[in-house]
Amino acid sequence: MSFASASAGSGRTDKLADLLVILKRSFGFDSFRPNQAEIVEAFLDGSDVFAALPTGGGKSLCYQLPALLRDGLTVVVSPLIALMKDQVDAARENGLAAAYLNSSLSAEEARTVKAQLHQGGVKLLYVSPERLALSEFRATLRFCNVAAFAIDEAHCISEWGHEFRPDYRALSSLRAEFPEVPIAAFTATATAEVQTDVIRQLGLVKPVVIRASFNRLEITYRVRRKSTVNRQIVAFVSERVGEPGIVYRATRNATEETAEALIRDGIAAAAYHAGLPDAVRAEVQERFVRDELQVVVATIAFGMGIDKSNVRWILHGDLPRSVEGYYQETGRAGRDGEPAEALLLWSPQDIAKVRYHIGRMTVEEERSAAERRLREIIAYADSGVCRRQVLLAHFNEEHPGGCGGCDVCCGELDTEDLTIPAQKLLSAAVRTGEVFGAHHLADVLVGECTDRVRERGHDQLPTFGVGAERDRSWWLSLARDLEAASYLSRRVGANGRRGGFQLTARGRELVRGRLSYVSAQRGAPVPSPRAAPGVPGERSEGPPALLRDDQEELFRCLRSLRKRIAGERGVPPYVVFSDKSLRVMALNRPTDRQALLRCHGVGERKLEAYGAAFLEAIRAFLATGECGP
Ligand code: ADP
Ligand code: MG
């Protein structure tokens, strides 16, 4: 190795060591999450950056830490006005001089912020895209020694993304107006189109592109058939006492029915959908973030950018419209790196409903794109293949399967090899000319001599009666499943009505014996959270700790202390300490400042602010075995 490269190498190590010290001191974390260090270093070096990290990957830190170290102002653009205050509170808790400007501030408050800006008293400024579009505001910025721009939720600038925001278009002139100022774009949207588009729209110059793995190790994925959906949801939530979660439902009515069912069962829940007045929605969100509501039952209108890090589970009560959407929604669980669960409940009727909507789409391209998305999500839900493997394949990420963190890999589902019955059903379809629906095929298989069977001579076929060992309804549901899994597809008549089944290419492979059909859906109960497998912790923070009963009790005490303090300070509980921090405290039981400082998420600022209260609570618990007052 030449001298030059050796010194460059150790230079990087030194820099990294410095960053780690600041990471612990200001944020209380012992290590970077995957890709954070690279992003921070590139951004600090003055490069433009494009970073795709999954939800919960820790994007905020990638611009907050550089902001702390830079001279001058870092401007963060975020579309989520309702959440800016919380983000600023959280940054301030870590000792960053942060502020925000958006339409929610009074004129007086905005003036105060601007005065602070002029005096150079702000290091990190959150603004809405509308604000950044105002020429008056841009003029202010020119006097503020802007050192960097961070564009959060950067996919909003792209029409390819699923959340395009016209306001984001104003950002495309930043590059020309501030040619010397580095821009970093952050998103959790993984597709290549979005990446190219964001880079182009923002005019990033030779950006350092960093794409993290989208594997969320802390999330356990499960899929079950739904029967009485509200009862299933209530049972699931009842087993997760005090654990915050989100239920997604397909329609406004469904959100309200499910919320009512939960409330009847004594669970603190509320519905959230676009039909509710703004004030109600804001209140639901606020109460959820502050741990006053355990459950929000929502349409997909809820959730983007919710920074609540202790969401423990996401339950979908209906088949989602796409894998991308499903992945983003489930990503809202477990941002603190603690174990979390994603459960999807679905039934073949869901497919019929989605197909009905698709059928009403008038633009051919939209319809076929929706049809493709539906097939993909069915392939996720209705297969005996490792869920993580299927999800990640969607983001072009290869996973070998056997993840140990999904229902398939944990052997929770009774899988049944149904290749032979499936072949029987498919050949019945072929022999009858691929024009009949499930009912006629079922009649042929069980050997039912209906008028139609006789008229067509189908009682003479070799497949007639080959399925007599099962009943008619069993064959009907197998036909639906084979359609769901894309072995069969419906013919569509000239009038747009859906006709009989024909085989797909996959179906033909199955008949020829080149594919097998393993069904993995029937009935298994969802295990209680304590029994959850948890994926071997590859996150740098180490595997999550399972607590004993007394530790669990202390954890509960610390949570209620946290809630009280958060209430007094008017910030969300997770801003005080994350669940993970409290769990580590419950496990390690620190009784002095040094020991507390060693706990995850405890930096110098938080030690000063909350150390005494938490140490006292822990000491009291150790002495009495109970929560203090
Ligand atoms: P994203 O915006 O990528 O979805 P956030 O920035 O909101 O994620 O971070 C998610 C959670 O992870 C936050 O609670 C944050 O404090 C925590 N976090 C970020 N970086 C680290 C780290 N290096 N170690 C531990 N926790 C971290
Ligand atoms: Mg974020």
Side-chain angles (χ1 to χ4, degrees), residues 29 31 33 36 54-60 307 309 335 541 600:
F29 302 142
S31 53
R33 286 206 176 141
Q36 280 181 328
T55 304
K59 290 184 280 295
S60 326
D307 268 346
S309 68
R335 284 156 159 257
E541 294 123 72
H600 171 94

Side-chain angles (χ1 to χ4, degrees), residues 278-293:
D278 286 353
V280 174
R281 283 191 311 189
E283 193 200 320
V284 169
Q285 176 162 316
E286 176 88 6
R287 290 176 60 213
F288 182 59
V289 165
R290 282 165 213 273
D291 285 353
E292 289 163 22
L293 279 177

Side-chain angles (χ1 to χ4, degrees), residues 420-428 440-448 458 461-476 478:
I420 293 180
Q423 285 168 333
K424 288 181 180 172
L425 193 144
L426 295 178
S427 34
H440 186 73
L441 298 179
D443 289 338
V444 172
L445 286 159
V446 298
E448 184 84 44
H458 289 164
L461 293 174
T463 31
F464 185 74
V466 291
E469 74 280 7
R470 319 234 187 200
D471 67 15
R472 200 170 172 279
S473 66
W474 190 89
W475 288 107
L476 288 178
L478 179 64

Side-chain angles (χ1 to χ4, degrees), residues 507-526:
R508 294 187 203 287
E509 296 277 282
L510 184 57
V511 175
R512 290 196 197 105
R514 295 207 196 119
L515 284 178
S516 53
Y517 177 66
V518 178
S519 161
Q521 303 307 322
R522 320 284 157 189
V526 177

